Amino acid sequence: MTLTVNQFVRIFAGAFVLISLALGVDGSPLFVNKNFLWFTAFVGANLFQSGFTRFCPLEIFLRKAGVPDGSACR
């Protein structure tokens, strides 16, 4: 199974949200600083805007890196 651009974007976004929450929430054993929650907000805002504008920097990078688009599966 080959992962597509869309799948990679979801994987990266989910991983960044989970990591930044682990680093920014007081009760986490990995807590560093509450300011990591700003990164969580940035990822969420980028996902939100890309839903309307279809502009996603990671998507552009992955396409240039040769990751398949997955449009043949639709």
Side-chain angles (χ1 to χ4, degrees), residues 18-38 40:
L18 291 174
I19 291 166
S20 61
L21 283 173
L23 296 172
V25 174
D26 274 332
S28 169
L30 301 176
F31 175 75
V32 175
N33 188 312
K34 283 191 181 246
N35 286 325
F36 276 101
L37 296 178
W38 286 106
T40 307

Side-chain angles (χ1 to χ4, degrees), residues 3-74:
L3 294 176
T4 64
V5 169
N6 191 26
Q7 290 169 308
F8 269 115
V9 168
R10 290 175 185 210
I11 290 167
F12 273 84
F16 282 140
V17 166
L18 291 174
I19 291 166
S20 61
L21 283 173
L23 296 172
V25 174
D26 274 332
S28 169
L30 301 176
F31 175 75
V32 175
N33 188 312
K34 283 191 181 246
N35 286 325
F36 276 101
L37 296 178
W38 286 106
F39 190 70
T40 307
F42 170 76
V43 172
N46 190 46
L47 286 169
F48 182 76
Q49 70 78 26
S50 71
F52 293 104
T53 65
R54 306 235 348 137
F55 175 74
C56 177
L58 178 59
E59 187 177 325
I60 295 166
F61 171 78
L62 290 170
R63 284 194 177 123
K64 286 184 180 182
V67 175
D69 215 4
S71 57
C73 298
R74 291 181 185 157

